[in-house]
Amino acid sequence: MGDLDRLNSKLAKLKGKDDGQIRASATDSIVSALLTEIEETILPREMILTNESGNRFVLVVAGRRLLALSGHGAEEEGSEGREDAAARIIAVFRGPFRTFLDNAREISIDAARPPNRIDPTMIGCSVETLTAALVGPGQASVADPVAAACDLAVAGLRLVGGDVVGRSGDAAHLARLEQFAGVGGAGLGQLAGDDTDAPCCVFLSDAGREDAILARIAFRGAAALILAPPEARAELIALCREPIPAAG
Amino acid sequence: MLCSDSDLPAPPQEALDALCLRGARLLSGPVWAAAEVALAAPVVEAVALQGGRIEVFLRTPAAPDEALCGVLEDSADLEAALNVLWSGIDAILPEDTARTADATRRGP
């Protein structure tokens, strides 16, 4: 199975008719797959994404960079007051292209050599820049999900190697957290899994999740032990799903 | 102890044992007890996201010796899955336990 077949298979899985299954964040997964594909593409390629209605978005990729992104709504979004090529591409990616992916019930991808010669002055946008931009303002700390988790908490302890290196939040909740850390913190750490290079998290809650949830988010040797509002759980989980830039 | 969807490849027994152990440690023992103090409420739900999957462990007060475990892809809609699992937990309890749970809900 070639790279394109694998990507198509993944897209079909993410966007296919999964009536019997529960899925969300499909767009995030597709974006992640596309960024990986761009990162692995050296020679010029034109990738065409088509939805179930036949609407298309075209990505021109070369040298591990996204050189151009066109499709419905891209012209308006990508031209307004933006002279920088990367800024135009990011605007289209975050706007009409994201909407296209969100709304599609089915997505397929085709790829071929671009019909026209690539202008060598086209610099486009690197995957690194694109990834950083897609995280968005206000979520810049997603590269550090531990810090981001503390930001979402009512109270939080930042741990490194089992030692508390930072505290945030109100005193009453912090006291409860410190008490937990002393008794069950190490045990929860052993259950939550710290030995991967991807963020991991564990949540404990009561039946109604009426007051708060207890959570531990760990990444690259650091961890956040937090009490958070129940409604923050989706955002906390998203922190662990986001692609994280490589270390170093 | 554990059962799995027969349409899926059967996980190795040691993986099922590890899953079972993780659920037991999250919903009983010192971590669980300390979490109940921290939350000032009975802890009946544990969710772990790691290694590209979500593990869900549920425990109903009506059947404290039982727990329900679900393993989801990490792209799954967790809240929707939890609603399904919570609504279904009584259905898989043994009949006598289910009767007890029902009586508990109705009260004396």
Side-chain angles (χ1 to χ4, degrees):
Chain A
M1 183 185 277
D3 290 346
L4 194 61
D5 292 332
R6 270 195 293 275
L7 187 54
N8 258 318
S9 172
K10 184 164 188 172
L11 293 177
K13 188 179 172 190
L14 290 167
K15 277 292 189 186
K17 292 178 180 175
D18 299 309
D19 294 340
Q21 299 184 41
I22 300 163
R23 290 192 185 281
S25 304
T27 302
D28 288 337
S29 299
I30 291 172
V31 167
S32 178
L34 287 172
L35 292 177
T36 301
E37 191 69 18
I38 294 168
E39 181 69 22
E40 294 174 352
T41 300
I42 307 294
L43 298 174
R45 300 281 279 174
E46 190 177 72
M47 300 178 187
I48 303 163
L49 276 84
T50 308
N51 69 7
E52 72 282 358
S53 304
N55 297 325
R56 306 191 319 168
F57 259 82
V58 179
L59 294 78
V60 180
V61 179
R64 305 181 193 278
R65 301 174 74 88
L66 178 56
L67 302 181
L69 177 59
S70 59
H72 180 69
E75 278 188 22
E76 304 85 58
E77 188 67 42
S79 61
E80 256 182 35
R82 296 185 181 89
E83 295 179 4
D84 178 66
R88 283 197 299 272
I89 288 173
I90 288 166
V92 175
F93 207 110
R94 294 171 71 170
F97 184 56
R98 174 90 196 190
T99 304
F100 169 78
L101 295 178
D102 282 338
N103 294 339
R105 291 179 57 82
E106 295 173 24
I107 289 272
S108 65
I109 187 167
D110 197 6
R113 288 180 59 181
N116 302 315
R117 179 176 166 274
I118 299 289
D119 181 344
T121 64
M122 287 174 69
I123 58 169
C125 184
S126 70
V127 169
E128 192 177 27
T129 302
L130 199 51
T131 302
L134 293 179
V135 169
Q139 295 182 40
S141 57
V142 76
D144 181 359
V146 172
C150 287
D151 289 343
L152 291 168
V154 176
L157 300 177
R158 187 178 174 97
L159 310 164
V160 175
D163 298 323
V164 178
V165 297
R167 294 171 173 79
S168 59
D170 73 79
H173 284 94
L174 265 179
R176 285 158 62 179
L177 265 184
E178 300 244 25
Q179 186 180 6
F180 175 82
V183 180
L188 187 60
Q190 290 169 0
L191 295 171
D194 285 349
D195 58 347
T196 65
D197 203 32
C200 52
C201 54
V202 61
F203 303 90
L204 292 168
S205 52
D206 63 342
R209 281 172 262 139
E210 289 170 3
D211 179 25
I213 57 172
L214 177 68
R216 186 180 189 280
I217 289 85
F219 184 52
R220 290 178 181 157
L225 187 62
I226 63 171
L227 284 169
E231 57 271 20
R233 185 160 70 177
E235 285 183 79
L236 291 166
I237 288 177
L239 289 175
C240 297
R241 285 173 168 157
E242 291 282 352
I244 302 290
Chain B
M1 167 286 248
L2 287 173
C3 61
S4 60
D5 188 334
S6 59
D7 291 338
L8 297 172
Q13 187 59 43
E14 54 267 34
L16 293 176
D17 289 346
L19 190 65
C20 189
L21 187 61
R22 190 151 49 248
R25 288 181 173 168
L26 285 169
L27 293 180
S28 64
V31 170
W32 168 77
E36 290 209 326
V37 173
L39 290 172
V43 172
V44 294
E45 187 179 290
V47 175
L49 193 159
Q50 57 184 317
R53 65 183 195 173
I54 302 174
E55 296 171 358
V56 177
F57 306 95
L58 307 180
R59 178 183 177 186
T60 171
D65 294 333
E66 309 282 342
L68 176 65
C69 171
V71 180
L72 318 170
E73 290 185 13
D74 77 344
S75 60
D77 185 332
L78 177 62
E79 298 304 325
L82 282 171
N83 287 337
V84 171
L85 291 170
W86 272 119
S87 66
I89 194 167
D90 285 347
I92 60 172
L93 288 174
E95 196 175 329
D96 55 342
T97 310
R99 273 199 298 272
T100 306
D102 192 43
T104 304
R105 272 196 303 272
R106 291 180 190 189

